[in-house]
Amino acid sequence: MEDVTIRSLSPKNEMNREIIVLGIESTAHTFGVGIASSQGKILANVNSIYVPRSDGLHPREMAEHHSKVAVRVLKEALETAEIKLEDVDGIAIALGPGMGPCLRIGATLARFLSLKFSKPLIPVNHAVAHVEIARLTTGFNDPLVVYVAGGNTMIIAYVEGRYRVFGETLDIPLGNCLDVFAREAGLGLPGTPKVEEIALRGEKYIRMPYVVKGQDLSFSGLLTYAIRLLKEGSYRLEDICYSLVETSYSMLVEVAERGLSHLNKREIALTGGVARSKILTDKLEKMALLHGALFKPVNPEYAGDNGAMIAYTGALAFAHGVRITIEESVIKPLWRLDEVDIPWRK
Ligand code: FE2
């Protein structure tokens, strides 16, 4: 994979004025365009989420959806913000991590807009954007960030110039574990809220594989076990959902708790699609309380993938001189957030 070189161009001048950036999100099932300022004003956040007709999300089908909705979403975002492309300072693009066919749609549109309107391109890491939108909407300055979604599960904290990972899944993400179980149980998508709804009616806890290795997590054995119980039919669906949710969320809260203690952070922010979960929010809140720490989830509007978080992170980066050329704007499907310098927090 080619590497993106990030250069700093006269950042001092840019830090002193409000920057307006248009951001494009297309890493997975969502195609989104946001417009935001470096001071944290969200001027537009328009998103179109691909919902599969049959089971599962296929990258090619998601990419087809993105290319169909791209122009409409872009126009709607500009109309909402009451701004013209000529008036934005830059075009931010989520170059990764994500699925190649999906990333390519957003990157192609970003390159086109950059060339046509002579606007600089700003590379944004999708996971960094989930962290920044959580910081913005919780008002926390230096939180431990619990990032849980269909595609990611990570415990993150800022240390020495970068966001570092203090625990993550070794196989499938937590959101994916619940989504796949929901599909197997015929509950449909989005799976996590449906599994939780049924879990609330559970009464009996069934012991399930609880796999925490140091600070890392593994959900694949837990998923296989839950699906086996479902197929055997000897337990109520309510009890299986309850046990699956209790086990997986407890694993996550355990590593978050150790991260909080080790790093001596005083705030915990929950971000990503699963941040809308009331059950997970309650568990993290209780844990934070035990440690005298503050807890908040990201604003629900920005929990799932969205264009606004890319625009806002792009504006922060642009204000600190981050930009790339068209030639450097290669997609990075496996781009980790700990590979990205965060000059706006230094
Ligand atoms: Fe995401």
Side-chain angles (χ1 to χ4, degrees), residues 126 130 147 149 305 309:
H126 177 89
H130 272 295
Y147 168 29
D305 292 351
M309 69 181 191

Side-chain angles (χ1 to χ4, degrees), residues 162-231:
R162 286 189 180 186
Y163 287 115
R164 316 276 174 177
V165 179
F166 290 90
E168 63 188 311
T169 179
L170 296 169
D171 41 54
I172 55 168
L174 202 168
N176 183 251
C177 171
L178 299 180
D179 284 347
V180 172
F181 180 81
R183 197 174 71 205
E184 292 289 325
L187 306 176
L189 286 169
T192 303
K194 294 193 170 132
V195 171
E196 283 197 355
E197 202 185 303
I198 296 170
L200 290 172
R201 301 198 297 272
E203 288 161 4
K204 179 180 160 46
Y205 178 76
I206 310 155
R207 218 176 149 81
M208 290 193 173
Y210 182 105
V211 187
V212 175
K213 299 179 180 183
Q215 273 296 94
D216 291 329
L217 304 155
S218 163
F219 297 105
S220 62
L222 174 62
L223 173 62
T224 308
Y225 189 80
I227 291 174
R228 205 176 77 204
L229 292 187
L230 178 77
K231 295 203 166 144

Side-chain angles (χ1 to χ4, degrees), residues 19-24 32-38 40-46 73-85 87-90 302 307-312 315:
I19 303 290
I20 307 277
V21 164
L22 180 139
I24 301 172
V33 174
I35 300 171
S37 82
S38 51
K41 261 189 250 156
I42 308 290
L43 306 173
N45 183 33
V46 181
V73 171
L74 173 67
K75 275 188 181 162
E76 214 177 303
L78 290 164
E79 280 164 21
T80 307
E82 297 181 343
I83 201 169
K84 289 194 171 73
L85 269 161
D87 300 326
V88 303
D89 291 289
Y302 309 108
M309 69 181 191
I310 306 301
Y312 172 58

Side-chain angles (χ1 to χ4, degrees), residues 39-278:
Q39 325 247 302
K41 261 189 250 156
I42 308 290
L43 306 173
N45 183 33
V46 181
N47 301 288
S48 172
I49 303 170
Y50 172 68
V51 181
R53 263 167 289 144
S54 56
D55 60 332
L57 291 161
H58 301 284
R60 188 178 45 80
E61 289 173 10
M62 286 190 271
E64 269 171 28
H65 160 266
H66 294 356
S67 57
K68 273 185 203 146
V69 302
V71 173
R72 176 180 64 75
V73 171
L74 173 67
K75 275 188 181 162
E76 214 177 303
L78 290 164
E79 280 164 21
T80 307
E82 297 181 343
I83 201 169
K84 289 194 171 73
L85 269 161
E86 288 83 350
D87 300 326
V88 303
D89 291 289
I91 309 290
I93 175 64
L95 286 177
M99 293 173 205
C102 304
L103 290 167
R104 258 175 232 117
I105 304 294
T108 305
L109 177 63
R111 287 179 204 124
F112 167 75
L113 295 176
S114 165
L115 283 171
K116 178 151 175 66
F117 295 93
S118 303
K119 300 291 175 186
L121 266 183
I122 310 148
V124 170
N125 177 290
H126 177 89
V128 169
H130 272 295
V131 173
E132 290 305 340
I133 201 72
R135 285 180 64 230
L136 176 70
T137 65
T138 58
F140 288 162
N141 181 45
D142 185 29
L144 181 85
V145 179
V146 179
Y147 168 29
V148 196
N152 284 283
T153 306
M154 276 181 179
I155 308 294
I156 301 161
Y158 176 81
V159 178
E160 293 176 1
R162 286 189 180 186
Y163 287 115
R164 316 276 174 177
V165 179
F166 290 90
E168 63 188 311
T169 179
L170 296 169
D171 41 54
I172 55 168
L174 202 168
N176 183 251
C177 171
L178 299 180
D179 284 347
V180 172
F181 180 81
R183 197 174 71 205
E184 292 289 325
L187 306 176
L189 286 169
T192 303
K194 294 193 170 132
V195 171
E196 283 197 355
E197 202 185 303
I198 296 170
L200 290 172
R201 301 198 297 272
E203 288 161 4
K204 179 180 160 46
Y205 178 76
I206 310 155
R207 218 176 149 81
M208 290 193 173
Y210 182 105
V211 187
V212 175
K213 299 179 180 183
Q215 273 296 94
D216 291 329
L217 304 155
S218 163
F219 297 105
S220 62
L222 174 62
L223 173 62
T224 308
Y225 189 80
I227 291 174
R228 205 176 77 204
L229 292 187
L230 178 77
K231 295 203 166 144
E232 282 172 3
S234 41
Y235 290 100
R236 293 164 67 227
L237 178 63
E238 289 85 346
D239 292 337
I240 300 174
C241 288
Y242 167 63
S243 308
L244 177 61
V245 164
E246 281 300 310
T247 308
S248 57
Y249 288 2
S250 299
M251 287 162 56
L252 184 71
V253 173
E254 179 192 325
V255 294
E257 183 171 22
R258 254 198 313 277
L260 184 78
S261 301
H262 280 303
L263 295 159
N264 216 9
K265 301 279 182 189
R266 308 311 310 148
E267 300 158 330
I268 307 176
L270 176 62
T271 198
V274 185
R276 295 193 189 100
S277 157
K278 175 87 174 68

